[in-house]
Amino acid sequence: MVLKDYLVLIPGVILAFILYSLSQGFNNIIGIELLGYSKSPISTAMIAILLGIFFGNFFKIRESFQKGLDFSRDYILKLGIICLGIQLKPFEFLEFGKIAIPLIIICIVSVLIIIKLIIKKLQIPTRMAYLISIGSTVCGTTAIMATAPVIKANKSEISYAIANITLFGILSMLLYPYFANFYFEGNSLFAGLFLGTAIHETSQVAAAGLIYEQQFNSPETLNIATVTKLIRNTFLIVMIPLFAFLYNRGQAKEKGYSILSIFPYFVLGFVGMIILRNVGDEVFSTNNNWIDLINSIKSSSKIFLTMAMAAIGLSTNLKDIRNMGYKPFIVGFTSMLTVGIVSILTIEIYVKFFI
């Protein structure tokens, strides 16, 4: 990219930062000034999402902001997730992963079976059902966009699938943190596993984890939800070839995808930040500058994630969701319920037999 390509990003990034600042300001006014808490019990991330949805749907966002908003929604989000790695230790990553992987596999298989049964009843186009399935089970819009060319989906099918995932992802993102805290009685491990497996998008999981952390003072839940979701994202490498085979079986088709192009490389950045933190702790354990740097990276991760949430809100078109039609709505709602229920049941079985 040349300099002018970067300059066009600035307005949208600044707009996302302004909404973050507004969200933080509203949070402090309501939680601290009005309610009298020393630390606001309201989530800044939730306020940013809702403000974004409000402004994005009641005011026309100029085209000059769009590239920067897209950049915030994609790259600043990933930067925020990478920075979250500074909070984790390697053994924690391995410990969470050992529990998360079987849980993720069970959720994926269950949703695929349920959706397969539903589309036969509702007679939804196969390609749209495939897109909703992979979006629900792996990583939302990213999975949809990566799978679409493999199964030759058209623009209408892609738009419907993305609107579906956006609607139910936002609902679960806003509701599940409170449900998880209630159902799992504040257990950070189980709440994090649930949020990481039951919510569609990486951004939505990050937002839900951030809401949980800010509402219930549990950074562990944010860490676990993030690790679980990043592991889940890597299943894209398996799921796209599988869907390509299922859709194209019996036909001579080019595979149309590249493993290198679909691998979520920011996962490596997240792991790299974990390693940096732990090497740094060994070398600079008593150095105040190192501690200040860690705290700065932690704070930056929350700012980046909240900016991304604001950009997502601004880019959420409620008209597209309204025009989706009821049949994809039923599939999306069933997918959300299935992955949530299976996640809870699997966690309960794990608690009963392995703890």
Side-chain angles (χ1 to χ4, degrees):
M1 293 176 71
V2 296
L3 180 59
K4 67 177 183 179
D5 293 325
Y6 289 104
L7 291 176
V8 299
L9 302 177
I10 292 175
V13 173
I14 290 176
L15 179 59
F17 183 79
I18 289 172
L19 276 186
Y20 154 74
S21 302
L22 280 175
S23 303
Q24 188 64 57
F26 283 138
N27 195 7
N28 291 337
I29 291 171
I30 297 170
I32 298 174
E33 300 296 332
L34 296 182
L35 299 180
Y37 289 93
S38 57
K39 180 182 177 182
S40 177
I42 303 168
S43 167
T44 303
M46 179 182 287
I47 295 174
I49 293 163
L50 295 176
L51 280 178
I53 292 173
F54 173 78
F55 285 115
N57 285 273
F58 287 93
F59 299 92
K60 183 174 177 58
I61 305 299
R62 292 183 181 179
E63 189 64 32
S64 57
F65 289 104
Q66 200 55 55
K67 287 188 177 180
L69 292 174
D70 292 342
F71 180 84
S72 300
R73 196 174 63 240
D74 190 3
Y75 293 100
I76 290 181
L77 168 72
K78 291 174 182 176
L79 182 58
I81 291 171
I82 288 170
C83 289
L84 280 179
I86 205 74
Q87 301 182 152
L88 277 171
K89 298 177 180 178
F91 291 113
E92 288 179 323
F93 184 87
L94 296 174
E95 180 184 349
F96 302 154
K98 180 178 64 177
I99 303 169
I101 289 173
L103 176 60
I104 291 166
I105 293 172
I106 292 170
C107 287
I108 288 174
V109 172
S110 301
V111 171
L112 292 180
I113 292 171
I114 294 296
I115 289 181
K116 185 70 174 176
L117 295 174
I118 291 175
I119 62 174
K120 287 184 177 180
K121 294 288 185 182
L122 297 178
Q123 298 181 337
I124 289 176
T126 302
R127 291 180 300 199
M128 187 187 296
Y130 272 52
L131 294 179
I132 294 173
S133 297
I134 200 164
S136 302
T137 54
V138 185
C139 54
T141 301
T142 302
I144 290 170
M145 295 304 294
T147 306
V150 176
I151 62 173
K152 306 296 188 293
N154 61 44
K155 289 183 179 180
S156 175
E157 290 164 336
I158 295 169
S159 298
Y160 268 52
I162 290 175
N164 192 296
I165 292 300
T166 300
L167 171 63
F168 293 107
I170 289 174
L171 283 176
S172 55
M173 171 183 69
L174 297 176
L175 298 176
Y176 280 0
Y178 303 95
F179 170 77
N181 184 68
F182 169 77
Y183 186 86
F184 296 111
E185 299 178 340
N187 186 297
S188 59
L189 172 61
F190 302 149
L193 289 171
F194 173 73
L195 296 178
T197 52
I199 299 175
H200 303 327
E201 290 263 12
T202 302
S203 57
Q204 293 160 355
V205 172
L210 199 56
I211 289 169
Y212 193 102
E213 182 202 34
Q214 293 169 343
Q215 294 290 101
F216 307 112
N217 193 28
S218 177
E220 296 84 4
T221 298
L222 174 58
N223 294 340
I224 296 164
T226 303
V227 169
T228 303
K229 187 65 179 77
L230 294 185
I231 293 172
R232 186 174 154 202
N233 287 354
T234 61
F235 276 77
L236 199 61
I237 297 171
V238 176
M239 295 301 294
I240 289 183
L242 174 62
F243 274 37
F245 168 75
L246 292 175
Y247 185 79
N248 296 320
R249 57 186 167 182
Q251 305 176 48
K253 298 275 186 179
E254 295 182 6
K255 72 176 186 177
Y257 63 88
S258 164
I259 294 296
L260 292 178
S261 69
I262 64 176
F263 184 80
Y265 286 101
F266 68 97
V267 174
L268 301 180
F270 180 80
V271 174
M273 192 64 76
I274 296 173
I275 295 170
L276 174 65
R277 166 65 188 275
N278 288 270
V279 170
D281 281 353
E282 292 294 326
V283 179
F284 307 112
S285 57
T286 58
N287 190 311
N288 288 332
N289 290 331
W290 173 245
I291 296 171
D292 290 341
L293 177 62
I294 290 171
N295 291 332
S296 295
I297 295 174
K298 286 181 181 179
S299 299
S300 297
S301 72
K302 308 298 168 52
I303 294 172
F304 294 147
L305 289 174
T306 307
M307 286 175 62
M309 296 310 107
I312 287 166
L314 285 166
S315 303
T316 301
N317 192 322
L318 297 180
K319 289 182 180 178
D320 288 344
I321 294 173
R322 186 181 63 191
N323 295 332
M324 188 168 58
Y326 79 93
K327 288 184 178 180
F329 178 90
I330 293 172
V331 176
F333 182 67
T334 306
S335 298
M336 184 185 79
L337 283 184
T338 300
V339 77
I341 292 169
V342 170
S343 177
I344 290 172
L345 292 176
T346 308
I347 291 170
E348 291 287 0
I349 291 169
Y350 173 79
V351 172
K352 185 174 182 180
F353 293 101
F354 297 101
I355 295 183

